[in-house]
Amino acid sequence: MPAPRLILLGPPGAGKGTQAKRLAERWNWRHIATGDLFRDAVRKESPLGKQVKPILEAGGLVSNELVVGLVRETLAEEIGADRGIIFDGFPRTLPQAIALDEFLMQYNQSITTVVLINTGDDIVVHRVAQRRSCEDCGAIFNLMHKPPARPGRCDACGGKLYQRADDREATVRARQRKYWSETAPLIEFYRTRGLLTEIPGDLPLDVVTASVERAVSGRR
Ligand code: AMP
């Protein structure tokens, strides 16, 4: 498969992170997840972490300047390589989408595919309440749909599983409101350019992965 510049779009908890990790592993694509970068910074208590912690806990959005700066830094190391890139949780606002376009344009590149993974808000609240992540490698489990073999431990690396602080119901609802007001306009933005494929997120994991792969290969 050719090296894509793929954006996974969709409400919080639709399964973007899970799909991005599977695809990145299978195709050796670079997975850029701004949420993971921020959580990492919070865990390390770095200056960035201290700055964004209250925003993450409230389910708000980090400022465009900060996010775009972080993505630029991360991308600068990757962009020249002939390796696919998956954007997960970025862009989340129109200014971020425009900044990403401008950045890619400097390297004669552009977004190749955008996949919208869609799920109803109430389903997500329930799913997210069951979600557990590995402290060490970031692998994602679901107590109902994808439980770890050993309770509380990661199948991949044996790390401890934890519940994200922003996966509590009130925070999830706040994140959904942000999604509808700030991120949903990106759907039309990419649809009008013919880049968008829509996939229901409540299908089995493998079916969603296969649909994303089809979208990537069919649109280049
Ligand atoms: P996620 O893991 O993608 O759900 O992101 C977790 C949290 O990180 C979000 O609720 C935001 O507070 C913050 N965040 C992640 N990506 C972005 C972004 N592109 N723009 C603004 N805030 C972000």
Side-chain angles (χ1 to χ4, degrees):
M1 200 169 327
R5 303 283 177 255
L6 165 70
I7 294 174
L8 294 184
L9 209 57
K16 301 185 297 292
T18 301
Q19 292 297 334
K21 285 192 174 72
R22 301 182 108 201
L23 289 159
E25 200 165 304
R26 184 173 298 175
W27 299 100
N28 187 31
W29 293 339
R30 175 75 153 88
H31 174 199
I32 296 183
T34 41
D36 285 350
L37 296 175
F38 289 134
R39 275 187 294 280
D40 221 43
V42 170
R43 214 168 305 136
K44 289 182 182 144
E45 298 183 349
S46 69
L48 173 68
K50 288 189 182 132
Q51 193 175 350
V52 301
K53 188 172 182 216
I55 303 170
L56 263 68
E57 282 178 354
L61 289 184
V62 175
S63 76
N64 289 327
E65 292 69 27
L66 231 171
V67 182
V68 167
L70 187 67
V71 171
R72 275 211 191 101
E73 251 173 57
T74 313
L75 269 182
E77 305 156 14
E78 290 290 335
I79 198 74
D82 189 29
R83 186 182 178 197
I85 300 177
I86 311 177
F87 296 97
D88 159 18
F90 176 90
R92 243 178 169 96
T93 64
L94 270 174
Q96 290 179 19
I98 291 164
L100 177 61
D101 275 350
E102 286 171 357
F103 183 82
L104 290 174
M105 220 172 343
Q106 289 171 16
Y107 296 87
N108 260 333
Q109 299 187 18
S110 57
I111 293 300
T112 56
T113 313
V114 181
V115 174
L116 170 63
I117 304 181
N118 242 334
T119 314
D121 283 354
D122 288 331
I123 296 173
V124 163
V125 172
H126 291 295
R127 185 196 287 191
V128 162
Q130 308 282 327
R131 174 155 72 185
R132 299 292 181 272
S133 314
C134 174
E135 259 179 13
D136 296 334
C137 74
I140 301 168
F141 297 85
N142 183 288
L143 298 183
M144 227 151 69
H145 304 294
K146 191 192 163 202
R150 259 193 313 154
R153 288 283 160 190
C154 175
D155 289 356
C157 75
K160 203 165 146 223
L161 300 184
Y162 76 106
Q163 181 174 34
R164 281 171 44 175
D166 59 350
D167 277 351
R168 282 164 295 162
E169 177 162 349
T171 315
V172 174
R173 299 267 183 212
R175 289 163 64 203
Q176 287 175 331
R177 282 194 296 276
K178 281 285 178 208
Y179 172 78
W180 289 112
S181 63
E182 305 286 329
T183 311
L186 296 183
I187 298 170
E188 276 317 303
F189 179 79
Y190 290 118
R191 201 199 308 272
T192 48
R193 298 182 184 191
L195 290 173
L196 192 88
T197 301
E198 209 166 326
I199 297 173
D202 20 30
L203 297 173
L205 272 185
D206 287 337
V207 177
V208 177
T209 309
S211 306
V212 179
E213 288 171 347
R214 250 196 321 279
V216 168
S217 58
R219 291 195 176 255
R220 279 183 59 98

